[in-house]
Amino acid sequence: MVAAGPPNKKHLTPSQIESRLERVLLSVQKPGRYVGGELNITVKDWDAVSTHIALVFPDLYDLGISNLGLKILYDQVNQRSDSLAERAYAPWLDMEQVMREHAIPLYSLESKHALADFDIIGFTLPYETLYTNTLNLLDLSGIPLFSVDRQADHPLVIAGGHACFNPEPMHAFIDAFVIGEGEEVIHELIATHQSWKRSGSDRPELLETLAGIQGIYIPALYQPRYDQDGLVSEVERLSPKAPRQIVKRLVGKLPSPPTRFIVPNIEVVHDRAPVEIMRGCTRGCRFCHAGMITRPVRERSVEEVVNTIGSVIHSTGFQEISLMSLSSSDYTHVLELVSAIHQRFSQERLTISLPSLRIETVSVDLMERLGDRRGSGFTLAPEAATERMRSIINKPIPDEQIVATASAAYEHGWTTVKLYFMIGHPAETLEDVEAITSLCNRIMTEGRKRIGGRARVHVSVGTFVPKAHTPFQWVACDTPEMVEAKQDLLKKKLRDRNIKLTWTALEDTLLEAWLSRGDRHLSQVIYSAWSLGARFDAWQDQQRRSVWADAFAIHQIDPYFYSHRRRGLDETLPWEHISTGIRKAYLIQDYQKSLAGETRNDCREQCYACGILPHFAELRRQNPGDAWMCPQVTSPSRAGASQVQ
Ligand code: SF4
């Protein structure tokens, strides 16, 4: 059991916080995590702005400093003359203990203000295993954990990120969720908050006004009803101002990317600058949450990407740039981009990584032209090892293409091919799993043919977790026994000494599986798990399975109800009032196609009317031509009576 009370009752001033920090920082590991002062931070005059926002990544600085979403919002807010954004991350366990012992509240790295002094606290929640850290950070800030207990003078607590597309498990702790992309909605949120402050109205008034902004979900304005089996029967709106459906927010055109990235003073996990080249994905892999929730595809021009890289190098000195997207090969101008980068930066000692390339030999040429470091291995992600299974998940690549691409990588000087697979896909058999070993052995044989005994294969096998808003949102996870049997099979069969196998521990996926398709009942479980000591659930060495088991037991909730139950297609899912724009009928049809082993083409080739265009017709009309990879919309109307060419 950990101390659950807030570490301070009154807000300390920044100078009081700094003086306490001076006394304790040398007693913790890596004090550089907690001091700020990095290159390119923005420190504004606190009293000269009216809105103060703390952007919080609820994991360690070493990881959070690289989060692109937080960098974008930091840039957006700090461009405003009337607002400031500062950062905070989760202290590691040693620092948390010291902070509690010395009554140091969670503070921002820039000005050392206590988080409780800010107007808005914005959490980035890309994955579910950050939930207990979020509670811990609120507690360290002295802010009531439950939204219902906050008063007008408490900060507004908001959250955004991919995990928030099913916000229900965290509904009790977050005042407002931002569903979708934050670049525009953050400004509307700030403007609303400023008018509310001027008006002197109460907190419920603020929440009701925020509910009127597209993409903002106020959980306090909704009440789900459950039937006797514990299934959602309806979601009641508690205010006429709350929309029936909260449609995600997206930007019609990607705004200028940030370039003055903060350069950490200590070694961090990803010591490179991310430059986003494209958002969204048209491939339609059925397991892929990001691919479904980030539609439609919008690209940046080659010129903008190249100029951005130039500015990033100039302002940060980073020598490694990662070109970010969900599927880099699908960037329309990828060859042109690679040539332009090569031309402009050939004299710089620059490493450019182009992650998520398609499995085809041209990817090897691309990596070669970018001067990829051979040492890091050539990465391929077939996800499944039989063509049958790859049809089910809609990643149809012939075996021959996978082997040929691996072979080309060895031939061009890579000694290691890294292969990413998942087990536990729907309808997967032990034969499908055994095929992973055959495919790896085939690739190893190719490697030996090309470069002899230097060839290596690294096989990473994750376990599939079905996610909300995907065509697999109805399926049950494999039972723990089945996952273990599949993992044992791989361990037994992959015996080649040059093939290295790593896999995800069962515990790593169970928690994610419970939380990602959870309902409101889980907020009490999350609270209990945190009270019992759960922290850093994404960290393998910190996981406390028994704590979570106890937390579920306290509330007499069966976790397998969430992870191992097949949902009926007619069931009202707890997240159905949140809309990604994709129609439920489309997801059902895609799921049924999957069961029949049918694939869909890349939707750049053929639009399947997934629902994005009717929802965002006006935005598409404002951004015509190839700004989006969806068909043009003609005769749009805000009433949604759009026609697709
Ligand atoms: S509207 Fe058509 S092209 Fe656009 S994302 Fe949906 S299926 Fe793909």
Side-chain angles (χ1 to χ4, degrees):
M1 189 86 168
V2 292
N8 68 322
K9 294 278 185 219
K10 276 185 285 177
H11 305 183
L12 297 184
T13 63
S15 57
Q16 286 172 319
I17 290 175
E18 276 190 278
S19 93
R20 289 189 192 193
L21 282 174
E22 270 167 30
R23 277 184 266 143
V24 301
L25 274 181
L26 289 179
S27 68
V28 299
Q29 297 170 36
K30 281 199 175 185
R33 289 167 175 159
Y34 310 113
V35 293
E38 306 99 313
L39 178 67
N40 290 336
I41 59 170
T42 303
V43 187
K44 292 188 179 179
D45 178 353
W46 182 271
D47 297 321
V49 300
S50 50
T51 306
H52 310 87
I53 304 186
L55 297 172
V56 187
F57 191 87
D59 206 325
L60 209 52
Y61 173 93
D62 315 34
L63 272 171
I65 187 77
S66 313
N67 183 267
L68 182 58
L70 196 142
K71 288 176 197 292
I72 291 172
L73 291 177
Y74 188 82
D75 182 56
Q76 287 287 329
V77 176
N78 281 324
Q79 280 182 35
R80 297 175 64 108
S81 56
D82 63 354
S83 305
L84 64 76
E86 302 192 349
R87 298 160 301 142
Y89 303 92
W92 188 243
L93 305 176
D94 58 344
M95 182 63 174
E96 180 191 338
Q97 192 182 342
V98 163
M99 287 170 75
R100 289 187 187 279
E101 280 168 10
H102 294 262
I104 301 170
L106 189 65
Y107 57 90
S108 66
L109 290 182
E110 279 77 0
S111 69
K112 311 293 182 298
H113 272 88
L115 253 68
D117 282 340
F118 284 79
D119 298 292
I120 300 172
I121 298 183
F123 285 98
T124 299
L125 295 176
Y127 39 90
E128 298 81 3
T129 39
L130 296 178
Y131 291 168
T132 52
N133 275 14
T134 303
L135 269 57
N136 204 36
L137 298 190
L138 285 171
D139 185 62
L140 274 170
S141 306
I143 296 169
L145 266 58
F146 288 92
S147 179
V148 72
D149 296 330
R150 291 179 202 134
Q151 308 298 321
D153 56 350
H154 286 119
L156 177 76
V157 177
I158 66 172
H162 286 190
C164 298
F165 277 83
N166 177 16
E168 295 302 76
M170 287 293 280
H171 82 281
F173 315 110
I174 304 295
D175 301 322
F177 288 92
V178 173
I179 310 295
E181 298 167 359
E183 288 105 329
E184 289 175 357
V185 75
I186 187 73
H187 296 291
E188 291 163 38
L189 200 144
I190 290 171
T192 306
H193 193 275
Q194 289 176 346
S195 332
W196 168 75
K197 252 177 46 171
R198 281 194 299 270
S199 74
S201 316
D202 59 10
R203 200 172 171 94
E205 176 78 28
L206 169 65
L207 297 181
E208 284 207 320
T209 314
L210 287 173
I213 300 175
Q214 189 193 330
I216 295 205
Y217 172 50
I218 308 293
L221 302 184
Y222 298 82
Q223 180 61 58
R225 307 278 170 216
Y226 300 89
D227 67 18
Q228 58 191 18
D229 296 324
L231 306 179
V232 176
S233 53
E234 63 163 329
V235 177
E236 190 189 334
R237 290 183 304 145
L238 304 179
S239 159
K241 293 192 179 163
R244 269 175 220 295
Q245 234 191 4
I246 300 88
V247 179
K248 78 170 179 187
R249 199 61 188 264
L250 63 84
V251 291
K253 181 177 183 306
L254 300 185
S256 299
T259 54
R260 285 179 57 82
F261 292 132
I262 293 171
V263 182
N265 291 329
I266 60 166
E267 201 180 323
V268 296
V269 177
H270 299 297
D271 199 7
R272 56 184 177 238
V275 174
E276 190 183 28
I277 58 172
M278 177 175 91
R279 204 173 283 179
C281 179
T282 46
R283 289 275 150 190
C285 299
R286 292 173 175 133
F287 57 85
C288 182
H289 186 241
M292 293 291 159
I293 63 172
T294 60
R295 291 177 180 211
V297 167
R298 289 139 294 158
E299 297 185 344
R300 288 212 155 91
S301 69
V302 169
E303 193 190 2
E304 186 175 27
V305 174
V306 172
N307 289 339
T308 302
I309 295 173
S311 306
V312 169
I313 299 170
H314 179 74
S315 62
T316 66
F318 273 121
Q319 291 192 311
E320 190 170 346
I321 307 282
S322 184
L323 299 178
M324 308 288 287
S325 76
L326 291 174
S327 175
S328 301
S329 313
D330 292 324
Y331 176 65
T332 315
H333 310 290
V334 67
L335 291 171
E336 201 189 317
L337 175 65
V338 169
S339 299
I341 290 173
H342 198 64
Q343 241 179 15
R344 168 116 175 242
F345 304 107
S346 57
Q347 301 306 315
E348 321 266 349
R349 293 166 56 83
L350 205 61
T351 304
I352 303 275
S353 56
L354 198 56
S356 312
L357 284 168
R358 265 211 312 270
I359 302 177
E360 51 192 13
T361 49
V362 69
S363 300
V364 180
D365 295 337
L366 282 174
M367 293 297 276
E368 189 157 50
R369 285 165 70 179
L370 283 171
D372 181 71
R373 286 183 193 151
R374 300 290 198 270
S376 58
F378 194 91
T379 301
L380 302 174
E383 310 293 357
T386 57
E387 291 181 11
R388 181 191 87 88
M389 203 64 248
R390 290 196 293 270
S391 294
I392 289 175
I393 63 173
N394 204 41
K395 197 164 184 182
I397 315 155
D399 282 349
E400 295 314 318
Q401 199 169 313
I402 300 170
V403 177
T405 310
S407 179
Y410 287 123
E411 209 167 69
H412 284 75
W414 278 271
T415 53
T416 302
V417 169
K418 291 183 183 171
L419 296 166
Y420 284 87
F421 292 99
M422 269 193 282
I423 55 170
H425 290 301
E428 183 184 65
T429 63
L430 284 176
E431 287 70 40
D432 292 309
V433 176
E434 193 165 354
I436 294 176
T437 66
S438 320
L439 190 56
C440 293
N441 286 328
R442 259 187 90 183
I443 289 172
M444 191 71 243
T445 306
E446 276 302 312
R448 288 203 171 101
K449 264 198 247 166
R450 305 287 162 209
I451 58 168
R454 291 184 300 134
R456 300 282 183 279
V457 172
H458 287 180
V459 192
S460 170
V461 181
T463 305
F464 170 61
V465 173
K467 293 282 173 136
H469 302 289
T470 69
F472 289 157
Q473 64 181 344
W474 294 277
V475 307
C477 294
D478 263 357
T479 61
E481 296 73 27
M482 188 53 95
V483 172
E484 273 163 1
K486 289 175 177 176
Q487 289 177 339
D488 288 346
L489 179 71
L490 291 171
K491 290 178 216 168
K492 201 168 100 197
K493 296 268 179 172
L494 272 175
R495 288 297 193 172
D496 191 304
R497 64 190 154 78
N498 287 349
I499 299 180
K500 185 178 146 199
L501 169 68
T502 52
W503 60 91
T504 317
L506 185 60
E507 293 74 29
D508 288 7
T509 40
L510 276 177
L511 180 58
E512 191 186 337
W514 296 332
L515 297 178
S516 64
R517 289 185 295 167
D519 57 18
R520 289 198 171 191
H521 298 307
L522 289 194
S523 60
Q524 289 296 339
V525 176
I526 294 167
Y527 176 77
S528 295
W530 168 76
S531 307
L532 294 169
R535 304 276 187 285
F536 289 101
D537 290 304
W539 292 65
Q540 225 171 338
D541 56 348
Q542 294 302 319
Q543 284 166 358
R544 296 173 181 85
R545 196 174 168 188
S546 62
V547 161
W548 278 96
D550 291 347
F552 274 102
I554 289 169
H555 300 284
Q556 299 181 322
I557 291 176
D558 175 10
Y560 283 27
F561 174 82
Y562 298 100
S563 52
H564 291 78
R565 181 177 64 85
R566 189 185 170 286
R567 277 82 168 157
L569 294 178
D570 56 351
E571 195 175 315
T572 302
L573 301 170
W575 51 88
E576 265 184 38
H577 51 303
I578 307 294
S579 169
T580 63
I582 298 181
R583 293 177 297 117
K584 185 176 182 184
Y586 170 87
L587 294 177
I588 291 177
Q589 191 189 47
D590 207 41
Y591 173 46
Q592 286 168 334
K593 277 182 176 293
S594 147
L595 296 177
E598 290 176 28
T599 57
R600 284 197 204 259
N601 293 336
D602 183 324
C603 66
R604 289 182 202 224
E605 293 162 24
Q606 175 188 1
C607 174
Y608 292 99
C610 69
I612 286 290
L613 285 177
H615 271 106
F616 299 102
E618 190 62 28
L619 213 48
R620 176 63 175 121
R621 193 174 67 87
Q622 291 162 8
N623 295 277
D626 58 7
W628 291 22
M629 297 298 125
C630 301
Q632 301 268 20
V633 171
T634 57
S635 311
S637 85
R638 287 182 186 276
S642 319
Q643 285 178 352
V644 177
Q645 275 179 349

